[in-house]
Amino acid sequence: MITNPQGPVTQVRTLPATAGWTWLREALTLYWRQPFAFTALVILYTMVLMLLANVPVIGLPLAAVLVPFGTLGLTLAGRVAERGAMPLPAVLIDALRPGPQRVALFRLGALHAGMVLLLVIVASLFAMDELRNWKVTDGQLDPVSVSQNVPWDALMVTAALYTPVLMLTWFSPHLVGWHRQPVVKAMFFSFVACWRNRWPFLLLGAMLVGLSFGVGFLATELLRALGLSPQLTSMLFAPVALVMTSISYATQYPIYRAVIEPLPDSPPPAAD
């Protein structure tokens, strides 16, 4: 296993908006080096979270607790790919191995779970009226009733509230797991880092959305031109969506390296 990044984090780098393009370009390069490995890791990670989230009562909190561990694993996968090796599934559980920061990562995960549950409760309150109008026919949701009662208010509130949660937890797994920062300090550092680099993040997000829609549109039109049915087109479009999701996850290491990772000449962390 390639050594995890170490060293004290003494500053947060503030980058120009064009860094968003650099992050995307580097993510595409990393993904191209190990496309099957990256895609397999994303499939495994998302399947585990989805299976956990479907467990009654405790599923969603448990999945949210494990997100910081998955974040570190996918970031480490980018680091491994950059060094010419294949990231194996073991990277996803690397942060779960016994070590001084495993307990701190669980604390971070618990805070993340608490924020996610609070967000779900608030969103449910805003969506209550629309959800009452959804109809179930033969054990399945009626798509017409769903399309006519989309909880737009809840979606907008969710997006507004989840943004600061994402900022608090974007870099904090790295700061806690790899640089031994206390949980609260790491979340503060993460928020500051995201705020200072809000323009690169916004540009990256816009490019990922544009790329996803563009690739999705071209893929769909190509499949339709071949005379395939809408159902088969939807099935064949799934791999395209999976590739785009994998590329999005591949941006994590370039972002971390550019904003947070200590320079190579940084002194090692003090022993506990």
Side-chain angles (χ1 to χ4, degrees), residues 21-32:
W21 161 244
T22 303
W23 297 341
L24 179 58
R25 187 180 69 246
E26 293 178 350
L28 289 169
T29 300
L30 290 176
Y31 182 78
W32 182 252

Side-chain angles (χ1 to χ4, degrees), residues 168-193:
L168 287 167
T169 57
W170 186 277
F171 293 109
S172 50
H174 313 89
L175 294 169
V176 171
W178 290 345
H179 305 291
R180 301 186 182 180
Q181 282 196 1
V183 172
V184 175
K185 182 180 179 181
M187 295 177 74
F188 172 77
F189 252 72
S190 177
F191 189 92
V192 171

Side-chain angles (χ1 to χ4, degrees), residues 33-266:
R33 289 181 180 179
Q34 298 290 345
F36 298 108
F38 262 110
T39 304
L41 287 175
V42 170
I43 291 174
L44 180 59
Y45 175 61
T46 53
M47 283 185 61
V48 169
L49 291 186
M50 289 176 61
L51 289 173
L52 287 175
N54 285 324
V55 175
V57 183
I58 65 170
L60 181 59
L62 183 57
V65 166
L66 294 180
V67 165
F69 296 90
T71 298
L72 286 181
L74 292 171
T75 307
L76 185 58
R79 184 179 177 87
V80 171
E82 183 187 49
R83 299 193 175 189
M86 177 182 290
L88 300 175
V91 299
L92 292 177
I93 60 172
D94 186 80
L96 283 168
R97 301 179 188 278
Q101 294 305 102
R102 184 172 62 174
V103 174
L105 283 170
F106 272 116
R107 293 196 196 102
L108 176 62
L111 285 174
H112 178 249
M115 291 186 289
V116 169
L117 288 177
L118 181 61
L119 181 60
V120 169
I121 293 172
V122 173
S124 299
L125 293 176
F126 277 87
M128 193 174 298
D129 292 338
E130 287 81 5
L131 295 180
R132 287 197 185 104
N133 294 323
W134 288 10
K135 298 178 181 179
V136 178
T137 304
D138 296 329
Q140 296 182 341
L141 279 173
D142 176 25
V144 176
S145 66
V146 173
S147 62
Q148 292 176 347
N149 296 277
V150 178
W152 294 113
D153 291 346
L155 293 176
M156 289 188 291
V157 169
T158 300
L161 293 180
Y162 189 65
T163 298
V165 173
L166 194 60
M167 293 171 69
L168 287 167
T169 57
W170 186 277
F171 293 109
S172 50
H174 313 89
L175 294 169
V176 171
W178 290 345
H179 305 291
R180 301 186 182 180
Q181 282 196 1
V183 172
V184 175
K185 182 180 179 181
M187 295 177 74
F188 172 77
F189 252 72
S190 177
F191 189 92
V192 171
C194 290
W195 176 253
R196 289 185 179 178
N197 293 279
R198 58 193 179 278
W199 300 119
F201 272 111
L202 288 172
L203 178 60
L204 175 63
M207 288 190 298
L208 284 173
V209 170
L211 183 62
S212 298
F213 275 105
V215 172
F217 176 78
L218 291 176
T220 302
E221 290 303 312
L222 177 61
L223 293 172
R224 287 177 178 173
L226 295 175
L228 302 180
S229 65
Q231 293 79 8
L232 186 56
T233 299
S234 299
M235 291 177 59
L236 295 178
F237 177 72
V240 177
L242 184 58
V243 168
M244 295 309 304
T245 302
S246 301
I247 292 172
S248 299
Y249 277 114
T251 63
Q252 291 187 339
Y253 177 63
I255 294 172
Y256 160 76
R257 181 183 56 194
V259 177
I260 293 292
E261 186 174 31
L263 298 175
D265 58 353
S266 296

